[in-house]
Amino acid sequence: MINRVEIMGVPIDAVDMPKAVDQAVAFFQQENLQVIYTPNTEIVMAAQQDPILLDAIKAANLVIPDGIGLIYASKILNKGLKERVTGVDLMGEVLSYCNQHGKSIYILGGKPGIAEVACKNIQIKFPEICISGFNDGYFQENETAAVIEKINQSNVDILFVGLGAPKQEKWIFQYRDKLKAKIAMGVGGGVDIWAGTVKRAPEVYQKLGLEWFYRLLKEPWRYKRMMSLPKFMIKVLFSKK
């Protein structure tokens, strides 16, 4: 049984990578759609002001701690989160499982052409995986029904949704009863990483939990978004009093 804790009112599952993988694998055996989200501190902060996003996270079947700030907060608040479990790493582990067990994937997200490239790169690394389909994330609201129908007709096992947070979480939440898949997982920039248009931070940054700092160095215009981490830690410290 996975222990679910709350960080500033947002549920997070106290899992390490092996437990997260085991849980994701178990979802393939379920009849109803199982949802996986990968919130970081920015999403936790956003959920404070967005009740729909908060409801979406609360309704998810697995919520992994994809942010070093969540681990720091857990230590300060004695919540018991074990380690950071990144969405892109969990996606890789799930893809490996799909490759070994003949499961099918569908990628939704990214600019036109990006999901297709991501699928091609995934197929190269995992030649036994079944690519059921792909669709970019630049569709209009009136096209949603057609996109969902395309996904459902593909008879896919796992749908990777890379619409960016919090859009992807809210999209899955809104249409969860219409999606015919075993799993829907929000993967954010994971689609771009697999397509090769975005590179992950070097491993030393990953191990130190400083991927956010690497992104800031590479993309200094993101500094306003990066401010969510210090704001988050300040709120955590004050909440402890």
Side-chain angles (χ1 to χ4, degrees):
M1 187 70 179
I2 292 176
N3 182 33
R4 177 162 286 191
V5 304
E6 285 193 357
I7 302 291
M8 290 170 51
V10 178
I12 306 289
D13 291 321
V15 293
D16 54 15
M17 182 59 77
K19 276 195 175 181
V21 173
D22 287 346
Q23 189 64 61
V25 166
F27 288 163
F28 284 107
Q29 309 305 318
Q30 300 300 311
E31 291 297 323
N32 298 323
L33 180 76
Q34 304 293 297
V35 175
I36 303 173
Y37 290 146
T38 66
N40 55 17
T41 51
E42 187 178 348
I43 298 305
V44 169
M45 288 290 283
Q48 311 299 301
Q49 309 297 327
D50 190 335
I52 295 177
L53 175 59
L54 181 58
D55 286 344
I57 297 173
K58 286 182 176 180
N61 304 98
L62 178 62
V63 185
I64 63 173
D66 184 2
I68 193 63
L70 300 180
I71 306 306
Y72 293 155
S74 173
K75 291 180 179 179
I76 293 169
L77 302 173
N78 296 315
K79 292 292 186 175
L81 296 183
K82 298 178 180 180
E83 64 182 49
R84 181 179 177 225
V85 180
T86 72
V88 66
D89 287 330
L90 180 58
M91 182 181 180
E93 294 291 338
V94 172
L95 287 171
S96 178
Y97 174 84
C98 291
N99 183 64
Q100 295 171 25
H101 295 85
K103 301 297 183 181
S104 59
I105 71 167
Y106 193 109
I107 291 185
L108 173 66
K111 295 179 180 179
I114 296 299
E116 181 177 6
V117 175
C119 285
K120 287 180 179 177
N121 290 338
I122 288 170
Q123 190 86 75
I124 290 170
K125 183 165 184 179
F126 301 111
E128 300 303 318
I129 209 165
C130 177
I131 307 292
S132 288
F134 52 83
N135 202 101
D136 67 67
Y138 283 63
F139 56 91
Q140 301 301 314
E141 181 62 33
N142 61 5
E143 298 174 301
T144 300
V147 170
I148 291 175
E149 182 63 21
K150 184 179 173 185
I151 292 167
N152 291 344
Q153 287 183 351
S154 75
N155 197 32
V156 67
D157 289 310
I158 181 166
L159 169 66
F160 293 109
V161 183
L163 300 177
K167 183 179 179 180
Q168 63 197 15
E169 289 80 9
K170 294 162 80 170
W171 190 88
I172 293 171
F173 182 58
Q174 181 176 355
Y175 298 109
R176 64 194 184 282
D177 293 331
K178 296 182 179 180
L179 292 167
K180 295 180 181 178
K182 295 292 186 180
I183 304 169
M185 178 177 175
V187 295
V191 178
D192 291 302
I193 289 173
W194 275 101
T197 56
V198 173
K199 291 187 177 181
R200 288 194 73 182
E203 192 170 346
V204 63
Y205 285 88
Q206 295 179 39
K207 288 183 176 179
L208 293 173
L210 292 174
E211 285 182 277
W212 63 271
F213 183 63
Y214 178 81
R215 289 198 303 271
L216 183 59
L217 292 175
K218 292 293 183 180
E219 303 172 345
W221 58 87
R222 292 169 56 103
Y223 77 94
K224 288 186 178 180
R225 289 182 60 183
M226 298 299 180
M227 288 302 294
S228 63
L229 180 56
K231 287 179 180 178
F232 171 81
M233 294 311 302
I234 290 170
K235 287 193 74 170
V236 168
L237 289 170
F238 273 98
S239 71
K240 187 172 169 54
K241 292 184 178 180

